[in-house]
Amino acid sequence: GLPSDGLSIDNAVMIANADRWPLMIDPQGQANKWVCNMEKANKLMVVKPTDPKLTTKLETAIRMGTPFLLQVPFRLSLSFSHSIPPAFRVISV
């Protein structure tokens, strides 16, 4: 889970109650583990940007209404916005 400090709790409450998807900068992987545990029962689909079936998996998740986590390694996150396929740029802004 997440640490029990006030900031982590506040962030978790905002993420759990948000109407839109969150962008999490998570160099230690704590939020990633938390989301995976929180959405395990809902069949969370975890996909890396290098997955050749990224588009198909995202379409499937949207069609089926299942949660989708695009897992970008922290070292790539700074340059990742330039490698997002054009079809996703509109929804990822």
Side-chain angles (χ1 to χ4, degrees):
L2 292 174
S4 59
D5 63 281
L7 181 61
S8 295
I9 291 170
D10 289 347
N11 287 336
V13 168
M14 285 189 290
I15 289 169
N17 294 307
D19 291 333
R20 297 186 57 160
W21 53 272
L23 172 63
M24 295 180 285
I25 299 171
D26 184 29
Q28 295 176 332
Q30 294 171 325
N32 185 44
K33 290 175 192 170
W34 177 71
V35 168
C36 288
N37 286 333
M38 186 174 70
E39 294 295 336
K40 185 187 293 186
N42 295 323
K43 299 179 182 173
L44 173 68
M45 191 178 300
V46 180
V47 181
K48 294 184 189 284
T50 55
D51 189 325
K53 295 184 179 183
L54 171 74
T55 305
T56 304
K57 290 179 178 181
L58 179 59
E59 289 172 354
T60 301
I62 291 170
R63 192 176 313 111
M64 303 301 289
T66 57
F68 183 90
L69 175 63
L70 182 59
Q71 189 175 35
V72 181
F74 185 69
R75 66 184 178 281
L76 297 178
S77 63
L78 298 176
S79 63
F80 178 68
S81 63
H82 301 290
S83 63
I84 298 173
F88 296 119
R89 289 186 186 146
V90 174
I91 62 172
S92 64
V93 173

